[in-house]
Amino acid sequence: MFHARKIEEAQQHVLRVTQDFLAMNHDEKLRVARIAESAEMSTSVIYSYFDSREGLIDAAYLNLYREQDDLITATITLWLAGSSAVGKKLSLDHLHEIERAVLEKLADSGSVRLRTVVRAIANPSYEKRLHREDQRHLEELTRVLGEAYPNETAPMILSLVKSTLMLSLVRASLEALGQPISESQADIIFITLMNPDQREDDIAPLRAS
């Protein structure tokens, strides 16, 4: 048990070092040897934990994505705690307030979220892992928003909040990346963010374009 805990702590340490690197650099620049040096760990140990360079990057991006989801939930919860709108009808003004609060929190890491989604688009198995995280986050948001707006159906609230929020995150991320992106890529990104259960045959034509 103690040994397993030490391994988990070491894995989390490597992930944190990798996440810090990815927050400031694109994954193309990542070298396992550099991460090993920063983490004060051998490359062979890192490979034993994550199998490959790509496995390490995937795990770090997923961890960042999960942390961002938790930050989104915490930000919305905090906004709800100080809002006079709780218990009343959810309005467009309320959505914009939630949007501004979350974007302010994610201002420095929006492009990382976009890169995670783009990476998942090219890898169906990784896309499934990302969708499982989306489902977890949706269930948490359902609970938080359902308690605040008991007179409105949770699916409607989630649709409004997520559509407003995620579209803004895509736009903010694109601006942060500072590089051109095709309309088809933008379509895929938005579909992936908005519809975790989107059928593969709906996305395939976009992926092929």
Side-chain angles (χ1 to χ4, degrees):
M1 190 65 159
F2 175 77
H3 182 62
R5 187 166 66 249
K6 294 298 288 183
I7 290 177
E8 183 177 355
E9 289 175 356
Q11 289 174 331
Q12 289 302 313
H13 175 58
V14 173
L15 281 177
R16 175 54 57 193
V17 170
T18 306
Q19 288 172 215
D20 289 345
F21 179 88
L22 291 175
M24 302 297 294
N25 304 275
H26 196 279
D27 51 74
E28 291 179 352
K29 296 182 179 180
L30 187 142
R31 299 292 179 268
V32 176
R34 180 172 179 177
I35 297 299
E37 182 180 357
S38 298
E40 298 182 343
M41 194 173 295
S42 70
T43 55
S44 59
V45 169
I46 292 178
Y47 281 123
S48 72
Y49 290 156
F50 301 100
D51 295 329
S52 65
R53 173 183 176 275
E54 298 305 306
L56 172 61
I57 293 172
D58 283 348
Y61 270 138
L62 187 61
N63 225 35
L64 280 164
Y65 193 89
R66 186 180 296 115
E67 288 177 2
Q68 288 180 341
D69 280 348
D70 291 341
L71 179 59
I72 289 170
T73 302
T75 302
I76 292 176
T77 301
L78 184 62
W79 179 84
L80 291 170
S83 173
S84 59
V86 174
K88 301 178 183 178
K89 187 174 180 60
L90 187 63
S91 70
L92 190 59
D93 287 340
H94 300 158
L95 289 175
H96 288 325
E97 288 179 21
I98 292 174
E99 174 189 9
R100 284 193 294 271
V102 172
L103 288 176
E104 183 177 341
K105 288 292 184 181
L106 295 183
D108 296 331
S109 57
S111 63
V112 174
R113 193 174 187 86
L114 181 61
R115 276 188 270 143
T116 306
V117 175
V118 171
R119 190 174 181 84
I121 291 168
N123 186 337
S125 63
Y126 189 55
E127 191 172 34
K128 290 179 181 179
R129 293 170 65 187
L130 204 64
H131 287 173
R132 286 196 292 271
E133 170 54 30
D134 280 333
Q135 187 58 43
R136 181 197 72 86
H137 190 218
L138 281 172
E139 291 173 359
E140 182 66 12
L141 284 181
T142 298
R143 182 188 64 79
V144 170
L145 291 166
E147 291 175 356
Y149 296 96
N151 297 324
E152 300 192 48
T153 60
M156 181 171 63
I157 295 173
L158 285 171
S159 177
L160 288 170
V161 170
K162 195 168 186 184
S163 62
T164 302
L165 177 59
M166 293 309 169
L167 182 56
S168 296
L169 280 174
V170 168
R171 289 170 177 165
S173 297
L174 289 171
E175 291 175 1
L177 282 173
Q179 60 184 31
I181 189 168
S182 70
E183 289 186 9
S184 61
Q185 286 176 311
D187 286 341
I188 298 171
I189 293 164
F190 189 67
I191 288 173
T192 305
L193 284 169
M194 288 298 301
N195 301 287
D197 299 318
Q198 184 77 23
R199 291 182 299 119
E200 173 61 24
D201 55 353
D202 288 336
I203 296 179
L206 291 172
R207 183 181 283 125
S209 62

